[in-house]
Each structure stands twice: as structure tokens, then as C-alpha cells.
Amino acid sequence: MSETSARNLPVVEGAAFTGTHVPLIERYRERLPFAPGDPLVSLQEGSTPLLRAPLISEMVGARVRLKLEGANPTGSFKDRGMTCAVSAAVRDGARAVICASTGNTAASAAAYAARAGITCAVIVPEGKIAQGKLAQTLIHGARVIALQGNFDQALTLVRELTDTHPIVLVNSVNEFRIEGQKTAAFEIQEALEGELDALCIPVGNAGNITSYWRGFTEVGMAPRMFGFQAEGAMPLVLGHPVEHPETVASAIRIGNPVRWEDAMAAARDSRGSIRMVTDSEILAAFRLLASKEGMFCEPASAASVAGLLKYGAEGAEQVVCVLTGRGLKDPETAIAHNDGRVIPCPVELEAIEEAVLGDGS
Ligand code: AN7
């Protein structure tokens, strides 16, 4: 253990973990920029399920599986990149990390910084991040700054700030983020023994599509990469930045992605595409996943399935849709957009009978 680690206890060796669930850096150490003995900040991320989606499979005429990234410790795929970014920061003697975020990067950075015993600051667009993510970030003890602007402006400002202060930037401009997130492609390769024709994935800052393509390339796979942006925040579809991005899927409310070139290269080199889904298509997929497949993801994640349903499998037989974050992240949107209702009931048997068995009128 190097002396640069922020404090002794939480930065542990992989060998200290027991059970079948090993930290991502341990599982894929040979393919990641870490040496044995490097400090390792882990919450036992990665190794997420790949769930069959029978109804969606039938709808599109392909074998469709869902990569459940909401099963990560903080409820999103960001943990894969964050274990690497924070472990590297600690290795290099950092005392603080910072990010701009639409919510999930903030929650993940806050958790890993807490684990490492270093400080964390996050800049979020004021009033535009989901409640679950805000709750996580605050309880982990990060300093939360609500910018009176959008994500793109927040990212521009933190990049300037980190140019002149010794604080590590953990947005996906950080190479360790991409390196960590590519491991999801390794897991898919192992689970499907390399048999995959298409990957459907939501695109915001475009770090994740970049990571998956890097991971697939490293294991000799080349599925078509189908990225989806929300109609009100689709710079990669339009070919120019969007100054005022807007979408119900707050996680991908991003108008000028940092991994622009990498995402376009992934789409081009894989014979894939980056296309658009509307907010109502996102919400329809969000409800379908929850009510018919039993899987509650956050709205941004449903963009992957919305895109598959909209454009079809295009001849692909094996498809994976990445569900990037857990539904509990954003309870407001789920409560605002569903077909159910809450039935009030007095404390009486007859009333209960009517409420449970009646026609609901
Ligand atoms: C659930 O947290 O950008 O294309 O600041 O939270 O790699 O940006 C989140 C992005 C998809 C898009 N799904 O991934 C942030 C942030 C969910 C997300 C994306 C995000 P990228």
C-alpha cells in the first residue's frame, strides 16, 4: 500500500474481498492500467446481470437481453469508471475529486470519494437532477453546487477550474473512466461467448458508447453500435451542439458531448448509427420495461429500448440493450408517468373489498 493513499483502511487489496463478486479492477486487471499492489477503491462494482427480455424479443424478432447496470453499487454504470478514476487519483496522491453531472456521475463520485476518504465536489444543473441522485450525493458527503446553467456549462467551468487547482476531474474526459466502463463489454463477451450482433445504448456525454466499443474491439468483437439520443438533446444526430438541451430523461440532457468524435467513430466503424427517440417514445419504453418485463430502469436508460422498438433490430439476431441506471434514481418521473393510481381507503372491510376487488371506478 503506497503512502499516497488518503487513509489506511478503506483502500484495500482485492484479496481482502470474499465471495464470488470481485471488484472490477481485480476481475480484469490484465486489461486495465493497474498493477498488483496499487491502491484499490472498490464497492464491488461490475459483474452485472444480463437479463432476457421475452416480450421485447418477440416484438422485434430477435433475442434481446438487458444489461442491468442499475445493479452496480450506486445504481448506475458510472461505478465501473469511477472505481478506476478514484483508485488512480488516490494512487497519484489526490485529496479531492470533482465532476459536472446530470446526477449519476455525481452520486458515484461521491460514494467512491467517501470510500477513499477524500473530498468530492459536484456541479449539477440547478433543479435538473433526479431526487434519488441528489439524495445519494448529499448523504455521501459531497459538496453539491447547483449551477444556474446546464450540464455543458458546468463541464466547461470544472475543466477550467481543474486546470489551475490540484483537483482530479472524474468526468469521462478522464481516461480511467473509459477504461473502467469498457469492462461491461468484456462481461457481455463472456456471457454470450462473443455472439452479439447489435448493442443499443443511450448517449449523453458519449463516454459509455466509446467505452463499450473500445471493450468490444479489445476482445475481437464488432457488434453494430446503435446509440440513441433524446429529441431535445441530440447534437450527434444534428451534427452540431444544442445550446438549450431539453428532455424528460434528465441524465442525457446534454448538448455538447465531450466524447463526440469517439462516439461517431464507434457508430461508423461498427456500421451502426446514432439516432433520435422522442420523450414520449422514451416514456413508453420506460413503462413497458417496468410493466411487462418487470424491470424498472431510469428514463434515460429506456432510450436504448425505445430506439430498438422504433427502428427495429435491422437483421440482428442477438441484441443487448444497456439499462444504464436504476428506476429508483428518479421516482418523480415514475410517479408522474404511469397508468396506475393510488386508491384511498377508510379502515373498513367493505371499503377494502371494494378497493381490492371492485372495478376501480
Ligand atoms: C442513466 O451523470 O452524464 O453517454 O453526468 O446517467 O456516457 O454520458 C450521465 C449519463 C446514460 C449517458 N444513462 O451516458 C452524468 C451523466 C444514464 C446516465 C447516460 C447517463 P454517456
Side-chain angles (χ1 to χ4, degrees):
M1 184 91 45
S2 76
E3 285 179 7
T4 55
S5 62
R7 66 172 194 238
N8 292 330
L9 270 179
V11 180
V12 296
E13 293 296 316
F17 289 88
T18 53
T20 53
H21 212 103
V22 295
L24 175 156
I25 293 175
E26 280 294 302
R27 184 168 173 187
Y28 294 113
R29 191 185 289 281
E30 299 91 79
R31 295 183 234 167
L32 291 171
F34 293 93
D38 280 353
L40 191 157
V41 184
S42 174
L43 294 167
Q44 295 193 223
E45 55 293 308
S47 306
T48 60
L50 194 56
L51 181 73
R52 284 174 196 280
L55 180 75
I56 295 166
S57 296
E58 203 179 299
M59 289 170 79
V60 301
R63 265 169 295 167
V64 180
R65 290 181 175 81
L66 310 170
K67 182 67 172 158
L68 304 184
E69 289 294 282
N72 276 296
T74 77
S76 87
F77 70 95
K78 304 287 181 181
D79 296 345
R80 293 181 186 274
M82 207 56 73
T83 184
C84 292
V86 173
S87 293
V90 166
R91 181 174 65 191
D92 298 342
R95 304 287 317 174
V97 294
I98 193 168
C99 64
S101 180
T102 57
N104 278 328
T105 302
S108 186
Y112 283 84
R115 185 82 182 177
I118 63 177
T119 61
C120 175
V122 308
I123 323 286
V124 298
E126 186 176 40
K128 295 291 188 180
I129 75 165
Q131 285 295 300
K133 304 172 190 179
L134 181 60
Q136 291 178 282
T137 310
L138 288 168
I139 198 81
H140 286 306
R143 182 177 295 202
V144 179
I145 296 128
L147 187 76
Q148 286 142 15
N150 62 33
F151 169 84
D152 304 288
Q153 295 167 312
L155 187 56
T156 303
L157 289 170
V158 289
R159 290 181 85 164
E160 282 175 31
L161 191 77
T162 51
D163 280 344
T164 50
H165 295 272
I167 311 172
V168 174
L169 183 62
V170 294
N171 281 105
S172 55
V173 280
N174 183 320
E175 266 300 306
F176 289 100
R177 284 277 314 278
I178 306 297
E179 283 292 299
Q181 286 169 211
K182 77 182 181 185
T183 59
F186 300 162
E187 290 174 17
I188 291 173
Q189 188 251 346
E190 288 167 36
L192 300 182
E193 295 173 343
E195 297 293 318
L196 181 66
D197 303 309
L199 185 91
C200 298
I201 184 169
V203 176
N205 217 14
N208 214 25
I209 190 170
T210 301
S211 307
Y212 272 87
W213 182 239
R214 184 184 293 181
F216 285 133
T217 305
E218 288 184 13
V219 294
M221 286 172 72
R224 299 178 75 183
M225 305 292 286
F226 293 133
F228 299 103
Q229 298 203 293
E231 186 178 26
M234 52 170 189
L236 299 178
V237 178
L238 296 170
H240 60 76
V242 173
E243 202 177 335
H244 301 292
E246 218 30 273
T247 168
V248 68
S250 59
I252 52 172
R253 188 171 165 272
I254 294 174
N256 193 10
V258 290
R259 292 284 178 174
W260 188 302
E261 301 303 331
D262 294 322
M264 296 316 289
R268 187 189 57 236
D269 296 347
S270 71
R271 297 177 306 109
S273 57
I274 312 260
R275 286 175 292 189
M276 170 279 276
V277 286
T278 66
D279 274 9
S280 64
E281 288 160 349
I282 289 172
L283 290 171
F286 174 61
R287 284 192 297 265
L288 180 89
L289 278 161
S291 64
K292 304 293 187 204
E293 300 284 16
M295 189 44 58
F296 182 27
C297 64
E298 64 172 286
S301 307
S304 60
V305 170
L308 176 64
L309 294 175
K310 179 174 185 165
Y311 298 102
E314 296 185 63
E317 286 175 16
Q318 294 260 29
V319 179
V320 167
C321 293
V322 184
L323 297 189
T324 45
R326 178 164 286 248
L328 291 171
K329 291 274 191 177
D330 188 355
E332 313 95 290
T333 305
I335 287 170
H337 299 277
N338 66 79
D339 303 322
R341 69 190 176 97
V342 178
I343 303 165
C345 186
V347 189
E348 286 162 18
L349 184 59
E350 254 174 54
I352 283 277
E353 257 182 338
E354 176 56 27
V356 175
L357 305 167
D359 65 6
S361 58

